[in-house]
Structures are given as C-alpha cells and as structure tokens.
C-alpha cells in the first residue's frame, strides 16, 4: 500500500473516526496496562470468579474485561467495567501523546472534516485526555465502549455505527483510523473504510484488509495538505 492509496481514501472522506489508544495517545504509558489487568483480576477473584490460565497471564485489561461478558453475571461485569473506567481516567492524566496525533486532528478540522473518537476505552478517559490537551473543541462525538457491555466493544460495529449515526453521516464518507485488527474489522462491519496505523513491527503485514496503511500519523497530515492543493 502506498501514499496514493492513502490519498485516495482521504480525498473522498469528510469524517475521520479515530481510535483513541494508538492514533491519539498511548493511554497506559505511565500507568501500565499490566497493573490494571492485575487489579481487575483481583476484583474477579474477590467475586469468586475462576480465572482460566489465559486470563491469569493476560496483560491487556480490556481482554480481562471482555472475558467477563461470558460469565452471565451482570453485576460483576458492571463492577469490572467501573473499575476499568477509574483506572483509565487515572491513566489518561499521564497518557503520552502520539506523535502528530494532535496535528491530524487539527488538520482534519482545518480542511472542513469532522473528527470523532471511537474507542474501546471509556468515554470518561477520552474526555479527560482531550480536555487536558485542549482538543475537546475539535472532536465530536466521543464514543467510548458501551457501559457494562464488553461484548459490544470493537470488533463489534456497534460503537462505529453509533458515531456515524450521531454525526448524521453516510458510511461512504467516513474512515476509521486504528492500530489493531479489531478496528479494521469494526470499520468494515459498519460499512466504512479503514486506515491501519502500523505503530509496531509486524502490524503492517497484518493490515492487508485495510484500504490504506500508515507507519506514522505524519502521513495523514501530509495527505490532508495534498488534498488542499
């Protein structure tokens, strides 16, 4: 995939949907995800939940939260979701901005495009970060994970469709920028294009289904600039 692929996508879209953890920032840069996962496991054990080996070894707290969807215990799901939200809000205060992430948001706005965030992180944590970085005015809506419904997180298209619906947009004029296969799968399930952000080695090779792949958010900024010429 080339810069021409990216330019072709950018040229036709008027709505930029951004995943949060990756394209915008690294939320757990100073508040390790593995620590959060450990805290969620502790809460589950306190609720007499038996944890399978893969969850005992899981370092991604969102994966631990997703595990709760199969427990058939709504109160436990809500407890873990609320704990996750508290940890995310704390993490958002020290999140590390993604290089050129802010510039993408501002450039999209300046070229007349609307920008929204669609994240498996809580909306509260996204709002916390955006307010601290003076980005709130550039982004609407913020669609976080559905409350106490981890089965509706991406790759389920539910949050993507919610953003498109709130914007009153057509799928054909939207693109989702994300750094995981779940982002690409959610975008395509919602009928919109996807740009894969390959921010780690090996990701580019896995993003073959995306309409375009970038290694740096700076490529998005450049694409907006070319589109304005």
């Amino acid at each position: 995939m080339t810069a021409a692929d990216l330019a072709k996508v950018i040229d036709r879209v008027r709505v930029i949907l951004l995943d949060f953890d990756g394209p915008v920032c690294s939320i757990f840069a100073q508040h390790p995800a593995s620590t959060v996962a450990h805290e969620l496991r502790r809460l589950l054990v306190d609720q007499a939940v038996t944890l399978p080996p893969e969850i005992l070894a899981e370092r991604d707290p969102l994966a631990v939260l997703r595990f709760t969807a199969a427990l058939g215990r709504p109160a436990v799901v809500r407890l873990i979701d609320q704990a996750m939200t508290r940890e995310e809000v704390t993490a958002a205060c020290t999140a590390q901005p993604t290089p050129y992430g802010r510039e993408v948001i501002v450039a999209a706005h300046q070229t007349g495009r609307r920008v929204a965030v669609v994240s498996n992180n809580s909306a509260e944590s996204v709002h916390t970060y955006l307010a601290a970085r003076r980005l709130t005015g550039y982004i609407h809506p913020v669609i976080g994970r559905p409350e106490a419904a981890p089965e509706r997180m991406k790759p389920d298209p539910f949050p993507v469709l919610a953003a498109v619906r709130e914007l009153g947009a057509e799928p054909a004029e939207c693109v989702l920028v994300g750094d995981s296969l779940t982002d690409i799968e959610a975008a395509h399930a919602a009928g919109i294009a996807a740009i894969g952000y390959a921010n780690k080695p090996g990701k580019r090779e896995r993003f073959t289904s995306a309409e375009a792949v970038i290694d740096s958010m700076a490529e998005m900024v450049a694409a907006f600039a070319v589109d304005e010429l």
Side-chain angles (χ1 to χ4, degrees):
M1 296 180 186
T2 66
D5 297 314
L6 178 62
K8 187 182 299 183
V9 174
I10 294 299
D11 181 61
R12 72 170 186 263
V13 300
R14 290 296 171 263
V15 175
I16 310 295
L17 306 179
L18 295 173
D19 179 37
F20 179 59
D21 187 17
V24 177
C25 71
S26 176
I27 186 172
F28 294 116
Q30 302 298 323
H31 189 64
S34 58
T35 300
V36 178
H38 176 77
E39 172 62 15
L40 299 186
R41 280 194 296 270
R42 185 188 66 77
L43 290 173
L44 286 168
V45 170
D46 287 347
Q47 296 298 312
V49 174
T50 300
L51 303 178
E54 64 271 18
I55 295 300
L56 286 170
E58 182 58 65
R59 298 174 63 84
D60 179 1
L62 285 173
V64 178
L65 174 60
R66 197 185 298 275
F67 160 75
T68 67
L71 294 177
R73 297 175 61 182
V76 172
V77 175
R78 186 169 298 277
L79 174 71
I80 299 304
D81 185 75
Q82 290 172 346
M84 179 71 184
T85 296
R86 290 193 298 271
E87 296 285 352
E88 288 169 325
V89 170
T90 297
C93 296
T94 56
Q96 181 177 334
T98 296
Y100 296 97
R102 180 186 184 89
E103 288 82 353
V104 166
I105 294 167
V106 173
H109 183 79
Q110 290 176 338
T111 57
R113 294 174 172 87
R114 290 175 291 173
V115 184
V117 166
V118 180
S119 178
N120 281 347
N121 297 116
S122 64
E124 292 91 333
S125 65
V126 178
H127 284 301
T128 297
Y129 177 85
L130 295 179
R133 299 290 171 174
R134 299 182 180 181
L135 287 168
T136 300
Y138 292 99
I139 294 177
H140 178 80
V142 169
I143 304 295
R145 67 171 173 274
E147 185 177 353
E151 71 279 3
R152 285 189 160 182
M153 295 192 299
K154 294 174 291 182
D156 191 286
F158 178 84
V160 180
L161 291 169
V164 173
R165 183 168 56 250
E166 186 162 342
L167 287 161
E170 294 296 328
E173 61 182 354
C174 303
V175 66
L176 173 65
V177 184
D179 68 332
S180 70
L181 282 175
T182 56
D183 293 314
I184 296 169
E185 291 166 1
H188 289 166
I192 73 172
I195 295 173
Y197 173 36
N199 56 348
K200 292 181 181 178
K203 283 191 175 184
R204 174 172 282 273
E205 292 74 19
R206 298 199 298 271
F207 290 167
T208 55
S209 61
E211 279 68 24
V213 180
I214 58 175
D215 299 305
S216 167
M217 295 297 282
E219 296 171 58
M220 293 279 295
V221 179
F224 288 135
V226 169
D227 188 54
E228 282 295 283
L229 296 178

